[in-house]
Amino acid sequence: MTETYEVFSISGHYVLHNEHRSLWCSKLDGGLTPSNSSALDASLEPVCLGVCYGIVGRIQFLPDSPVNLVLISDRQFVCKLHQHEVYRINDITILPLSLETPHLNLHTCKNHPPPPKGAKVAETDTKIERKLEEEFVKWFEKSFYYSTTGDITHNLTELQQSTSYSDTAIPLWNRVKERYFWNLSMLDTLISSYSQFPEVCDPWIIPVMQGYIESKEVEVSLVGGLLASTLSFNSSPSLEEKTLTVTLTVVSRRSKYRAGTRFKRRGIDVEGNPANYVETEQLLEYNGHVTSYTIVRGSVPVYWYQPLTNYRPKPVLLQSPEESLKAFKIHMDNLISQHGKVVIVNLLDSQGKEAPLGDEYAKVAYMYDNEKLTYVAFDFNEYCGGMKFDNVSALLKELDGITDNYGFTHTCNGESLQLQKGAVRVNCMDSLDRTNVVQGSIARTSLKNQALLMGVPFAELLTAANILWANNGDAISTQYAGTAALKGDYTRTGERGVAGMMRDGVSSVTRMYINVFRDTNRQAAIDIMMQIEPELLDIRSGENEELDCIPSLLEEGKRCMPSADESKSLHKSWICQDYSTGQACGVWLSANFLDVVTIDRDSKLSLAISTCDKLQIGQPANSLGHYLRIVSGKTVLTIRPLTADVTQLQDCLVRMAHAIVSCRDDLGIPTQVQHGQLSKPNDLMDMGLDKIKSSANSIGTKLAASAKRMIGEAKGVLDSRGSSNTSPSPNIGRKVFNLFKRDEKEVSKPQPTPVTLSEVRKSSFSSGSSPELEEMDGSEPTIRVRSALSESDLLRLVEGVGQRESRSQTFHVSLRDTRSKSNFVFISLDRTDIDSEFHMTSRDG
């Protein structure tokens, strides 16, 4: 069990105390002094403020603000990892080191009476400081883990490779991997005192790691294999009838280097640290046998960023490939040193906005020139679009031939029997949603082999594995992007449905909301924890900035809504504001239900259309705008659609009401619609149904004409771009949102031009020689390029993708260039109707 400490306030100090040790925290200068435990002198008049479970360290949010002590105020036992208890930090408490005794949110001490109601925690001096403190506390909610007795920062392979990681003669904080020791800088005072007072300092230095850890015990049948040979049973039934319990664990370790949020931290830094770098380990264990498989993810390791200008901004390259190569080399050298061989799986789109970033990635990997690196390009959206996630099998089949000798680590009672010899590094744009799907699929493939070794039916582990990997994806996504992962329903259940797409729509809008309004504050809080100077000037303090984000929120929500083909029962969807909470919410109207999911909150309301018998349009008390109130029995929902043009608000409310009335009409149920002051229900007047229907039709006609005019206006702006450098009017962009961009894309989408193999053979290369192209035997023909190519030649071939007549089969291009030892595999799926021969298709058409 972890230690529990009573928190006392005395003159000049706070004291964390138990029967073994104490920590004295100065209220004057923030100094920390550990000591052996002794009874507190009653003459000091100690007041017990509650209990905590240790400290995270010290933090100072602004240079001129007081020092704070961060206490672990709530924690939860998670599992045992290598026989050591692991805990998750559920909540922290900020204790200002000042002379005023605050009222803290701590658990009450059983040995002392509740503290007298002292002063509340003093309001911080500035709005910026309050925001930083709020974001810091949110950042810690259920995302950090620790153990007071064992190292949770090294995977099993590393623990087997070096005995120093488990040497108890070395203090725990000095054994853990610094990359995952998040609060190292917050404990600098205690660490600097360690050399003088090692025994009293050591218990207070608790390394905490951000990530995810969860374990499940699974009852399975024993079908033979390793476990069958190592177990004996005293009872008479046959071995095949026996069941046993195995433990399945997933551990994710998020790097503190280049730590931050989705749009604030992209790419790589000069020290070779990529953003959103996470190492995930899958462990299966029973009766002393432990198997471990490790996989990693991280941002595309070149210099790039994304300006948050719309809901799907274009990535921007910041440096030349030669400059990116320097940082790329440091990163890959570290990976190869740690894991042996490395396979990059790049899931970026091969066309559109993501393509230039993917091309840069391939070029730098080519320049890296290392035979231990294999680069695999798999256009996830091309293969798996339209909810066809099972097509990931094409990637798994290709990887099987590359990673078949990587294996996994296996130990028995601490003795190493085999070690994992390589790792797969997966990325997409955010290294979240697509990455979660692919990593989960790769991990399941490994789990099948791990289960086979132990003689355990893989099918009996599958449900638990899916849940663990889905929870893992949600945790990593929340830490980086602010919401649960998209496509999580597939990872969790193996199926993709409309309900999952609806949840993804809400999550996408929430991400945009968080990225715009909270990420700057969150990033500053993280930087302060890492002792990096935060960008305080960028912290938002305005109260009315949400209108600027509404067009992007609407567009993001619409983009993620199921189409009519995917859900014929879905009638309408809106992004709204809830009057009671002030929060944004997603609203979906179907034939029988009205579903409301609140953004940034874990809550959902579902109203049966048959019970929504009263609709009211008007102004609530203390509100400047109109709302739609929906009365369903005792449940009252008051909402209004988010719109950038407040003059259209009442029109939007009428159309929302009309949509609900239409659904009830289809059910043969009448509806009462009223208008007036919502704060005065007795004064509300009925709106005739004929009136609301005619108003809705009139508004629809008017909007259609307006939309046609605006699109024409926008196209005129687009046409003028080619002949003029004049920027388009921001008002036009605000009116039309991004609709004209989608229209332009559909009109100007290039059509691929097929090139036959004979033409490829005849094409001239800058090196002066043609590549040797060979059609291999088998169901998946391969073109292998064996001649020495220049970089420009390589890029020309990178842009080509193989295609085949049947969509159910794949055709890939493998590049083996004698001038670069790095290996390349480009996988593409046929998306066009072609005749019989193979083609090379240029991305540029």
Side-chain angles (χ1 to χ4, degrees), residues 9 83 92 120 196 363 369 421 462 469 482 521 532 681 772 807 811 818:
S9 175
Q83 306 305 313
I92 59 173
K120 290 184 178 181
Q196 295 177 323
K363 186 171 185 178
D369 190 18
K421 300 175 183 178
L462 189 56
W469 278 94
N521 304 337
I532 299 172
E772 180 183 350
R807 293 187 179 212
F811 179 49
T818 57

Side-chain angles (χ1 to χ4, degrees), residues 25 33-34 58 74 138 164 187 233 383 395 452 535 568 579 594 607 760 801:
C25 315
T33 305
R58 302 187 314 161
D74 191 22
K138 290 178 182 177
S164 63
L187 295 167
F233 294 91
Y383 258 86
L395 171 64
L452 180 64
E535 300 172 356
K568 298 183 183 300
Y579 172 73
L594 184 75
L607 302 177
V760 174
V801 294

Side-chain angles (χ1 to χ4, degrees), residues 55-59 70 89 135-136 138-141 143-147 151-153 172-173 176-188 191 205-213 252-261 265 273-279 475-476 478-480 522-532:
I55 66 170
V56 177
R58 302 187 314 161
I59 192 167
V70 182
I89 298 176
E135 291 299 335
F136 182 77
K138 290 178 182 177
W139 178 246
F140 256 85
E141 287 179 357
S143 68
F144 282 85
Y145 298 80
Y146 71 94
S147 173
D151 176 13
I152 63 174
T153 64
L172 175 62
W173 63 269
V176 299
K177 188 182 291 188
E178 186 173 330
R179 174 181 294 277
Y180 307 123
F181 189 171
W182 276 73
N183 58 329
L184 176 62
S185 60
M186 297 176 67
L187 295 167
D188 53 359
I191 290 175
I205 306 175
I206 303 174
V208 301
M209 177 188 79
Q210 190 178 46
Y212 166 80
I213 302 177
S252 277
R253 306 170 175 97
R254 175 183 290 279
S255 173
K256 71 175 185 177
Y257 299 135
R258 197 155 178 75
T261 60
R265 290 292 181 267
N273 299 307
N276 195 27
Y277 180 82
V278 182
E279 171 191 282
I476 292 173
T478 300
Q479 292 159 16
Y480 189 52
R522 292 172 69 210
Q523 187 62 57
I526 296 166
D527 289 344
I528 291 170
M529 181 180 180
M530 299 292 106
Q531 293 192 346
I532 299 172

Side-chain angles (χ1 to χ4, degrees), residues 785-838:
V785 181
R786 296 192 175 139
S787 65
L789 303 177
S790 68
E791 292 178 13
S792 60
D793 296 337
L794 175 71
L795 291 181
R796 289 182 62 188
L797 285 174
V798 167
E799 290 183 348
V801 294
Q803 297 189 330
R804 192 164 189 170
E805 183 176 3
S806 172
R807 293 187 179 212
S808 64
Q809 295 176 308
T810 63
F811 179 49
H812 65 271
V813 179
S814 299
L815 301 186
R816 302 291 185 270
D817 183 4
T818 57
R819 292 179 53 184
S820 176
K821 297 176 183 177
S822 302
N823 303 310
F824 292 80
V825 177
F826 298 88
I827 311 172
S828 180
L829 182 68
D830 177 22
R831 288 290 183 184
T832 59
D833 294 323
I834 57 178
D835 296 327
S836 57
E837 55 184 334
F838 302 110

Side-chain angles (χ1 to χ4, degrees), residues 676-734:
Q677 289 288 333
L678 298 185
S679 57
K680 301 177 180 179
N682 294 332
D683 296 338
L684 290 172
M685 300 177 62
D686 284 344
M687 295 180 67
L689 291 182
D690 291 339
K691 181 178 178 181
I692 193 172
K693 291 177 181 179
S694 63
S695 297
N697 292 333
S698 174
I699 292 167
T701 303
K702 187 166 53 177
L703 286 176
S706 176
K708 184 176 181 180
R709 184 183 68 255
M710 287 190 295
I711 290 175
E713 193 176 345
K715 284 185 176 179
V717 173
L718 290 172
D719 293 341
S720 67
R721 287 179 178 173
S723 58
S724 172
N725 293 326
T726 305
S727 299
S729 165
N731 291 330
I732 294 176
R734 187 183 179 94

Side-chain angles (χ1 to χ4, degrees), residues 599-667:
I599 291 178
D600 207 20
R601 294 192 178 194
D602 187 17
S603 62
K604 179 179 178 180
L605 174 66
S606 185
L607 302 177
I609 291 298
S610 59
T611 64
C612 299
D613 51 8
K614 187 181 293 185
L615 307 177
Q616 300 168 342
I617 299 175
Q619 281 185 289
N622 303 318
S623 172
L624 298 178
H626 284 65
Y627 284 80
L628 172 64
R629 177 182 289 170
I630 304 169
V631 181
S632 174
K634 295 183 179 180
T635 302
V636 178
L637 174 67
T638 306
I639 55 176
R640 66 177 177 187
L642 289 171
T643 173
D645 190 348
V646 293
T647 63
Q648 296 182 5
L649 178 58
Q650 292 192 50
D651 289 348
C652 292
L653 293 173
V654 170
R655 284 185 287 126
M656 287 183 69
H658 178 252
I660 297 173
V661 168
S662 297
C663 287
R664 287 176 58 84
D665 283 350
D666 292 341
L667 297 175

Side-chain angles (χ1 to χ4, degrees), residues 459-479:
E460 297 181 17
L461 297 173
L462 189 56
T463 299
N466 288 344
I467 292 172
L468 289 177
W469 278 94
N471 292 345
N472 175 70
D474 286 345
I476 292 173
S477 177
T478 300
Q479 292 159 16

